[in-house]
Amino acid sequence: MERWFLYAGMALCLFSLWAIARHDWLRLTRPARRVIGEVVGHRIHRDSDAPSYAAIYRFTAEGAVHEVHDAVHGSRPGPPEGHCRELTYPAGHPELARPPRPLLWGGVYGGLLLMLGLLAAKAAGLLPE
């Protein structure tokens, strides 16, 4: 019965890696372009009791003006309107621009890979009881 839970955990880790990597595929396979985006507002998302805020950035790239919403929400609106911040996007896809957060995404991918490795080692009998 324990093996079934280990295999289910490994399947869940693999599915999670696939789910986030398919959205990051262009970012992982194309050269990154950098632009400066200006905060022009905040998107408000109401979930349960408290609202959360995500910055809306406007920038010019590849001959057009683009607006993107930050994927990371906070309990307060920030950064303030008018603030400029560096954004990165995969070449040819400025609609995918976002502030670079290598430690955040490295931690997500690293944590999933670590969990997958630990579950596989346990299933292979390499970890003590």
Side-chain angles (χ1 to χ4, degrees), residues 14-111:
L14 288 170
F15 174 77
S16 298
L17 282 167
W18 172 81
I20 61 172
R22 74 184 176 101
H23 288 292
D24 284 342
W25 184 250
L26 290 174
R27 286 183 181 87
L28 296 170
T29 59
R30 293 190 177 209
R33 302 286 185 246
R34 297 182 184 282
V35 294
I36 300 298
E38 179 183 359
V39 177
V40 294
H42 294 89
R43 181 175 162 191
I44 301 171
H45 179 71
R46 299 203 185 277
D47 189 23
S48 66
D49 296 338
S52 61
Y53 302 89
I56 301 171
Y57 296 98
R58 182 180 295 149
F59 61 94
T60 303
E62 301 184 11
V65 176
H66 301 276
E67 271 191 15
V68 294
H69 301 145
D70 198 346
V72 177
H73 291 245
S75 60
R76 295 185 198 139
E81 287 188 35
H83 182 78
C84 291
R85 184 161 187 193
E86 181 183 55
L87 305 173
T88 60
Y89 66 90
H93 293 276
E95 71 279 3
L96 297 177
R98 67 181 184 196
R101 294 183 177 101
L103 293 178
L104 172 72
W105 291 108
V108 170
Y109 281 103

